[in-house]
Amino acid sequence: MQKSWFWIITLCLLLLAGAIGAMAPLGENAKARKSAEITAVTDEWRAALPRDPEAATNAYMARIPAAAKARSDAYFEGGYWLQGIGFVTSLLIGWLLLASGVLARWRDMLEARIKQRWVSNALVIAAFLLLTSLLGAPLDVYRGFYREHLYGLANQGFGPWLGESLLGGAIGLVIGTLFISILYQVLRRAPATWWVWGSVVSVGFMSFMMLIGPTYIDPLFNTYTPLQDDKVKQPILSLARASGVPTDNVYEFNASKQSNRVSANVSGIFGTAAVRLNDNLLRRTSLPEIEAVMGHELGHYVLNHVYHFLLSFGVMLVVGFLVLKRVSGWALQRYGSRWQIRDLADPVGLPLLSVIFGSFLFLMTPVFNTIIRTAEVEADVFGINASQRPDGKAEVHLKLTEYRKADPGPIEEFLFYDHPAPRKRILMAMRWKAEHWPNP
Ligand SMILES: [Zn+2]
């Protein structure tokens, strides 16, 4: 491929990304919201619900207006297609980087000027990460900005959104370059066993990111302040104490800056715990709903889900790196010289490795989803026992149907859901309520 072609394609894609951003339907937000609001009810309505869990769940589900259901189903099902399109796009980007020879030229230029190999390698890795994000920009803008506005889920104009994306991209570039450079060091030092050590290093790196993320990265995007409202704070602290979570403060953050989504988390690793909830949760839900959500989040902490995830992802990585080792050996033999990749340890081959590894991850999506979804079910059970707020839980999951299809089929749930389907979670709450009748 002519080298000028690569830069013309990159420029066109960047212009396309800008055009998609400029054309986003910013006005949809309020309009869509009005027409598809969940029907509000009173405490009397909840008190009059039947004891039978199925019947009570159906009463909740009947409060989703047809327009709201159609909208959230379309949003969520579109997400399935986007996963496939994202995968195909990543293959095309990988091919473009290899066929254009842009990284090989960059490496040759660097090696003529820089003595230290690790520096030139790191700069090749950084170039790969940067070019990958530039070439993927149209899809990122469509998925992260245009589509969120189309479905009335976002609150941010294009300028601020772009600013945050660039900041996130810059952080990702620095951290990604550091991480991949370390992996290449492992690959060089242990050519036969790197697939095991690479997984160990990756898990260590993920733990490190979980340790620093809440303190050093999250505050770059949102403002975290101690929760002022004692009527909300004290019940949450009480829940935390009852569950043995080591914390004495609750923080709120201004997620409404970006979107209307309700969310909360209890993050922390190695004995730290930070209980945080967003302003959408505070603004859009009642105290029983907040307690149900916080019970769930505390459940993730108490049940040590962070360590479960690290362990299961570590095992998946060992398998993934082994697949990568086998397939890349074959691919390098066949195409290495055509794409000017010297050997496996040459970062010019990074697009090839990322295509192979990305294919593995894509095929493993249902497995990842099932690992996470299983933990979510556990946190649900913990949360409802801790908070004892079945109707609060049902209410909040009814609200979450605005961006998660409420009632999928079993295969659909297995393939695409990283949380249980909303209807199942409401049913679970109503089942708990029935078993604690008449004093829920
Ligand atoms: Zn969860």
Side-chain angles (χ1 to χ4, degrees), residues 296-297 300 375-376 379-380 419 425:
H296 170 99
E297 299 304 333
H300 282 308
E376 293 298 333
D380 275 349
H419 282 67
R425 301 177 93 173

Side-chain angles (χ1 to χ4, degrees), residues 126-187:
F128 163 77
L129 292 173
L130 182 65
L131 290 174
T132 306
S133 358
L134 294 181
L135 295 168
L139 187 61
D140 284 343
V141 174
Y142 174 73
R143 182 165 40 194
F145 184 73
Y146 185 100
R147 192 163 179 269
E148 292 298 297
H149 276 285
L150 185 65
Y151 284 95
L153 294 167
N155 289 336
Q156 219 166 13
F158 190 49
W161 181 86
L162 189 64
E164 283 185 4
S165 299
L166 291 175
L167 176 61
I171 295 168
L173 184 63
V174 172
I175 292 174
T177 302
L178 182 69
F179 173 59
I180 298 173
S181 296
I182 295 172
L183 281 185
Y184 268 101
Q185 278 297 332
V186 175
L187 211 151

Side-chain angles (χ1 to χ4, degrees), residues 370-385:
T370 300
I371 291 172
I372 299 172
R373 198 175 60 245
T374 308
E376 293 298 333
V377 172
E378 293 172 3
D380 275 349
V381 175
F382 181 97
I384 197 156
N385 282 315

